[in-house]
Amino acid sequence: MEAFLGIIIGVLVTTGVVTVVKSFKKKSLVNSQSTILIDKIKKVCKFITVEGDFAEIYHYEDVKERFLKLITSKKKALVVINAKAHVGYDLAKIKIEAENDKKRIILKHFPQPEVLSIETNLNYYDKKDGYFNRFEATDLTGLHNEAKLHIQEKIPESGLIEIAQKEALETILLIETIVETIGWKLDYSSLEIDSVEPKKLK
């Protein structure tokens, strides 16, 4: 009888240990899943939703004075700027929390769209050097930087930011798809969106 009782106690203890181990492993798996999900979402990083093409004419002129300002030398060029601007969302800036017990990811904050990149291609026409004021490599580098700034100033009036704002839901649905790949749910009912002006490319 004692031997039989010992077997029953042994079975119960073994069952309890197995249950605890399984519960611990399940909790560990859920915690691991939430960490992977958050990392996976943020690794998507910059998500381009709108692309705009620009064609602008830029007049460049530089005048240098020599010999007590008695002589001037001017270099100039007509620059045609062809540019492509990408506007979208930096997903590294979102704020998300995980509810492991409910296998739910809560989206708390979603950023405003911003200019993610500007690609420029410059063509020079009517390029003329001054007698002692010639175009150097630094001038061309400076022109590229000025061209980007010129295009950046045109973006707010182009409507690209407004179009990107309308694509916010599509971006959130992309995040939802990522979350659902391992059977979790995305909750964005308490989403907070910035009301500040969108940031420009630095």
Side-chain angles (χ1 to χ4, degrees):
M1 182 69 179
E2 290 181 359
F4 181 71
L5 185 60
I7 292 172
I8 293 175
I9 292 172
V11 170
L12 290 175
V13 170
T14 303
T15 303
V17 171
V18 170
T19 302
V20 169
V21 170
K22 283 185 177 179
S23 176
F24 179 78
K25 285 184 176 180
K26 184 177 181 181
K27 185 177 180 181
S28 177
L29 176 62
V30 170
N31 289 340
S32 177
Q33 283 180 332
S34 67
T35 302
I36 290 171
L37 272 177
I38 291 172
D39 287 342
K40 191 174 182 181
I41 290 168
K42 291 192 174 182
K43 280 181 181 178
V44 174
C45 289
K46 296 180 179 179
F47 182 61
I48 297 171
T49 56
V50 181
E51 182 179 275
D53 293 312
F54 294 83
E56 297 284 332
I57 297 175
Y58 184 74
H59 295 272
Y60 174 80
E61 188 174 290
D62 179 78
V63 179
K64 286 186 177 179
E65 298 175 331
R66 293 287 179 89
F67 307 109
L68 301 176
K69 299 183 180 180
L70 295 175
I71 299 177
T72 60
S73 182
K74 179 171 66 176
K75 61 184 173 186
K76 64 178 184 177
L78 182 67
V79 186
V80 175
I81 307 169
N82 291 299
K84 192 179 293 292
H86 298 123
V87 178
Y89 297 91
D90 186 350
L91 298 187
K93 295 179 180 179
I94 65 174
K95 293 180 182 178
I96 47 183
E97 296 177 0
E99 287 189 349
N100 297 331
D101 56 331
K102 297 179 181 178
K103 299 186 77 172
R104 180 170 66 179
I105 296 292
I106 302 173
L107 186 56
K108 304 289 291 184
H109 166 80
F110 196 77
Q112 281 284 329
E114 58 186 274
V115 181
L116 299 177
S117 67
I118 299 176
E119 300 171 3
T120 55
N121 180 36
L122 274 59
N123 294 308
Y124 301 92
Y125 299 92
D126 195 26
K127 182 180 174 184
K128 293 181 180 179
D129 289 312
Y131 184 70
F132 54 82
N133 187 13
R134 297 181 177 277
F135 277 96
E136 305 289 344
T138 53
D139 294 318
L140 301 181
T141 301
L143 271 172
H144 269 88
N145 292 334
E146 288 182 27
K148 281 192 174 183
L149 288 174
H150 182 71
I151 296 300
Q152 185 169 289
E153 291 172 355
K154 296 287 182 180
I155 290 175
E157 62 190 57
S158 69
L160 290 177
I161 298 295
E162 288 77 8
I163 295 172
Q165 285 174 326
K166 294 177 182 178
E167 298 294 328
L169 181 59
E170 293 297 322
T171 309
I172 293 170
L173 292 177
L174 169 68
I175 297 173
E176 187 174 39
T177 300
I178 294 173
V179 170
E180 289 178 347
T181 55
I182 60 171
W184 283 54
K185 295 293 183 182
L186 179 69
D187 181 359
Y188 48 91
S189 58
S190 60
L191 185 63
E192 297 175 5
I193 299 179
D194 288 338
S195 58
V196 296
E197 290 296 318
K199 295 181 180 179
K200 295 181 179 180
L201 180 70
K202 294 181 180 179

